[in-house]
């Protein structure tokens, strides 16, 4: 993977106004370590949504919403995020980020789909699609993984580049049918957006494959690869 060597800044928001994942501290630790080990970025972490404003976000190449949930931004803060994205900013949403701001259509489009529910966590086998895409180019074609398998309000395939999907026949509780995307990316409203629904458990943030998936997503969103 050829990386533009200019180190960049990342802002990570983990504010929750709904369900709060116990894995947030592990996610913070994992992303911080990822920046150090890759020497690609330095990350600032916060639970203060007032920092989601155009002035502050302009300092960052990528904004990451780590397990954000509920109505965690007010209208002014959402407008700040919109301004950032429309100015060419990069966005990464992890797992529960799809369960936030569910009544805001623009945010749902930024993510790509809105979380509805999930079955009990269980083993599954992910299919890696578009294997030539930088975000998944380091992954095997089939990837065994244990997680919460999210269902969404719609299949986002017609508006995104799907990177990971799952066959619902091999686990219980899927509701999208024969085509069930779980991670994707897209050019959106002037910026770049990458979303992965994986990452419910602490163990994910110490897993090499998963964290490589996150790193490549961050680099892609930052336009560094």
């Amino acid at each position: 993977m050829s990386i533009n060597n200019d180190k960049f800044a990342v802002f990570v928001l983990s504010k929750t106004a709904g369900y709060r994942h116990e894995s947030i501290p592990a996610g913070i630790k994992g992303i911080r370590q990822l920046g150090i080990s890759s020497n690609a970025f330095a990350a600032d972490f916060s639970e203060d949504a007032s920092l989601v404003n155009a002035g502050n976000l302009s300092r960052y190449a990528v904004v990451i919403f780590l397990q954000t949930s509920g109505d965690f931004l007010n209208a002014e803060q959402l407008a700040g995020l919109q301004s950032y994205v429309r100015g060419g900013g990069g966005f990464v949403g992890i797992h529960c980020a799809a369960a936030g701001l569910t009544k805001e259509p623009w945010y749902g489009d930024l993510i790509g789909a809105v979380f509805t529910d999930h079955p009990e966590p269980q083993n599954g086998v992910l299919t890696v699609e578009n294997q030539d895409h930088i975000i998944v180019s380091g992954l095997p074609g089939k990837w065994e993984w244990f997680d919460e398998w999210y269902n969404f309000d719609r299949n986002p395939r017609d508006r995104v580049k799907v990177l990971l999907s799952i066959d619902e026949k091999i686990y219980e509780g899927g509701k999208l049918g024969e085509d069930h995307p779980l991670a994707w990316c897209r050019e959106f409203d002037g910026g770049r957006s990458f979303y992965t629904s994986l990452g419910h458990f602490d163990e994910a943030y110490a897993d090499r494959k998963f964290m490589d998936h996150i790193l490549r997503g961050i680099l892609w969103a930052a336009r560094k690869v």
Side-chain angles (χ1 to χ4, degrees):
M1 179 170 57
S2 178
I3 302 174
N4 180 328
N5 288 326
D6 295 334
K7 197 168 183 177
F8 58 94
V10 169
F11 177 72
V12 183
L13 183 74
S14 55
K15 179 182 177 180
T16 55
Y19 180 82
R20 186 169 182 85
H21 276 75
E22 294 179 359
S23 59
I24 286 175
I28 290 171
K29 180 180 179 181
I31 293 170
R32 178 180 287 117
Q33 183 58 40
L34 201 60
I36 294 169
S37 62
S38 67
N39 199 36
F41 64 88
D44 293 332
F45 299 85
S46 183
E47 301 253 332
D48 183 359
S50 72
L51 296 176
V52 182
N53 63 74
N56 182 57
L57 296 187
S58 67
R59 301 162 48 206
Y60 300 99
V62 176
V63 170
I64 301 175
F65 282 1
L66 173 66
Q67 309 281 30
T68 46
S69 67
D71 294 327
F72 63 95
L73 299 181
N74 63 28
E76 182 180 2
Q77 293 156 0
L78 180 60
L81 179 64
Q82 289 173 323
S83 177
Y84 168 77
V85 171
R86 289 167 178 166
F91 175 83
V92 170
I94 298 175
H95 195 55
C96 196
L101 304 176
T102 57
K103 296 180 177 64
E104 297 290 346
W106 181 89
Y107 182 77
D109 287 342
L110 173 68
I111 293 289
V114 177
F115 164 82
T116 56
D117 62 294
H118 62 78
E120 286 298 307
Q122 56 199 287
N123 289 306
V125 180
L126 294 156
T127 297
V128 179
E129 302 192 27
N130 292 295
Q131 284 188 277
D132 58 340
H133 195 286
I134 189 66
I135 296 177
V136 290
S137 61
L139 294 174
K142 297 291 184 180
W143 181 18
E144 295 185 10
W145 190 250
F146 181 83
D147 217 316
E148 288 181 336
W149 303 118
Y150 272 15
N151 293 310
F152 301 97
D153 66 334
R154 60 182 181 261
N155 186 326
R157 186 177 291 275
D158 63 349
R159 65 182 72 194
V160 304
K161 182 179 286 292
V162 174
L163 303 171
L164 299 174
S165 60
I166 194 165
D167 182 350
E168 292 187 355
K169 293 191 292 292
I170 63 174
Y171 75 101
E172 297 180 356
K175 297 181 179 179
L176 290 185
E178 293 184 1
D179 182 22
H180 193 136
L182 286 173
W184 52 77
C185 63
R186 70 186 301 202
E187 305 279 344
F188 175 73
D189 211 8
R192 281 186 166 185
S193 174
F194 161 61
Y195 171 74
T196 182
S197 64
L198 310 185
H200 176 75
F201 295 103
D202 287 13
E203 290 80 4
Y205 302 94
D207 182 89
R208 184 188 61 78
K209 288 190 182 73
F210 177 73
M211 293 309 292
D212 187 61
H213 175 55
I214 297 297
L215 174 61
R216 289 167 180 264
I218 294 169
L219 292 170
W220 177 84
R223 305 176 193 270
K224 298 296 184 179
V225 290

